[in-house]
Every structure is written in C-alpha cells, then in structure tokens.
Amino acid sequence: EEEKLKLPSKDDFNSLGKIYNEFPIYAASHYWQSRGILPGKEYSIDYLLNTNKVISEYRYFAEFLLGILEKANICYRKKSKLIFNNFPKVSFREYVNYAISTCPEFRALFSFTANCVENYDKVFSGKIKGNSILYPAGSYNTILKVGEEIPDITRKEIYLATLPQILDLVIKYKNLNKKRIRVLEIGGGIGLLTFRLLEKLKEYDI
C-alpha cells in the first residue's frame, strides 16, 4: 500500500527529523523560562504549578513539559525537587524562524504550533480555552488548512484505506458466527476515519 501511494517521509526533507526532536524542547523551555525560573534554584513541582496558577485540567500537561526538559538535561531531580540548568540561548521564536527557513514546506505547521505554545500561559491558567486555539470559532478549518499546506509524511492514507477493509472482514466473520457486533469509537477527532468506516457500515444492517 505504501509503495502504491508513494508517500513522502521526514527523511525526504532536510533536518526535519532533527527539528521534530528539538521543537518540543524549545517549546517547553519557552513556557517555563517565561515563568521566571532561575538556574540553580530548587523548586517543587507543586510550587511551580501552584505559583503559575495552572488549573487542574492542565497540570498533567505542564508536568509533561517539565519531563521534556528533564530528558534534555535542562533540569534534574534532587529528591522531590527540580533544579534547572541554563535554558537554551536561542529563544523559541528564533528557533521557529530557523525551522521555517530550514524546512519552508512546513511553515504552516511550525507557525500553527508556535501560536499554540505562545498561548500556553493563558490556556494553563484558564484565561482562555485550549480549544479556542486549536479550533478558532469552533471550526476545524485552521487545522485542515495546515494539513493541506504541508507535505503529508504520515501514513494516514494507508490507515484510512485499510481499516474499513479490516472492519469489513471482522463483520463478515462475526456474521458467519452469528455474533453481535459492537463498534466502539475512541477519539473521533475531525472524523476522517469515522466517515470512511460509516461508508463501509452502510452496506450492513448495523
């Protein structure tokens, strides 16, 4: 299926894999550095979250950003405390510009992601809803537009083409054994896969 579709991969684009690995580090650094974190000082995670008024819905994500920094050796644990080393000398916005100039084909993705990162503080503190950044005015148009403007290096089309065929085989097997069929959808997203599956289900009395 992959050979038939001739899909590109990140290896076809200069330094894209490196940028994908580094972008989260600069994003996490941007948020926590902007919180006034001082290198060499000890902080408890609860102190960091409470001081920055991170609401319960985003505490896990804020901790996830700390985990990114820990893996990148920008901070380390000392018993129950975190101690920060120096943050990257290159600012997040400078890194975004570097990413765009290195892989201009992915400008829309980098710009969209940068806008999300630069709103972390407002989202984490509950000043604005996270979905208002991802889906302005409650519309999927922004995300869909980003997808249209960048090369598709995922294998999404393979799954979209293959899973309805697999579902068809499962239904035929279940019908053969006269077993009840249940379809559980997890994370509908924007419905790209769901629509394909529903088209296949139209052939059956389900």
Side-chain angles (χ1 to χ4, degrees):
E1 190 71 28
E2 187 169 350
E3 291 176 358
K4 184 173 68 176
L5 294 173
K6 297 180 180 178
L7 300 174
S9 74
K10 67 176 183 291
D11 297 330
D12 297 326
F13 301 92
N14 180 44
S15 299
L16 183 61
K18 177 175 177 287
I19 291 171
Y20 272 15
N21 289 332
E22 292 177 346
F23 207 101
I25 298 171
Y26 283 88
S29 295
H30 172 77
Y31 173 72
W32 283 111
Q33 188 174 18
S34 70
R35 304 297 88 211
I37 300 297
L38 298 175
K41 186 176 178 180
E42 295 184 0
Y43 299 90
S44 71
I45 292 178
D46 280 342
Y47 173 84
L48 291 172
L49 298 177
N50 293 335
T51 301
N52 292 292
K53 300 179 181 178
V54 179
I55 60 177
S56 59
E57 293 93 325
Y58 289 99
R59 288 177 75 91
Y60 178 81
F61 193 84
E63 287 189 54
F64 171 71
L65 296 181
L66 289 172
I68 290 174
L69 297 182
E70 190 174 359
K71 286 183 180 179
N73 296 317
I74 292 173
C75 67
Y76 62 94
R77 292 182 185 270
K78 183 180 179 182
K79 295 183 179 179
S80 61
K81 301 291 181 69
L82 280 177
I83 301 177
F84 287 79
N85 298 313
N86 291 321
F87 286 98
K89 293 181 180 179
V90 175
S91 72
F92 176 64
R93 180 46 62 177
E94 288 172 331
Y95 190 81
V96 172
N97 292 337
Y98 156 75
I100 291 173
S101 63
T102 304
C103 298
E105 302 91 343
F106 293 85
R107 171 187 292 272
L109 176 62
F110 296 144
S111 298
F112 174 77
T113 307
N115 182 56
C116 293
V117 171
E118 289 168 343
N119 279 284
Y120 276 171
D121 178 39
K122 292 179 181 178
V123 172
F124 289 1
S125 60
K127 293 176 183 175
I128 61 175
K129 295 290 186 181
N131 279 353
S132 69
I133 305 299
L134 294 173
Y135 313 113
S139 169
Y140 293 125
N141 290 342
T142 301
I143 286 183
L144 292 174
K145 191 169 184 289
V146 169
E148 291 170 359
E149 292 183 4
I150 66 173
D152 186 359
I153 60 171
T154 70
R155 295 302 176 257
K156 178 179 63 183
E157 284 302 322
I158 293 178
Y159 292 108
L160 292 178
T162 306
L163 285 174
Q165 298 175 34
I166 294 174
L167 178 62
D168 186 48
L169 291 173
V170 170
I171 291 173
K172 287 176 178 175
Y173 171 78
K174 293 284 188 180
N175 282 342
L176 187 65
N177 290 277
K178 297 181 179 179
K179 292 183 178 179
R180 186 176 182 183
I181 298 169
R182 295 182 177 89
V183 178
L184 173 64
E185 180 187 29
I186 301 176
I190 58 176
L192 292 177
L193 175 59
T194 304
F195 292 142
R196 301 279 185 101
L197 296 179
L198 288 175
E199 283 299 311
K200 177 56 65 177
L201 290 174
K202 282 168 62 176
E203 301 174 14
Y204 296 91
D205 182 23
I206 295 180

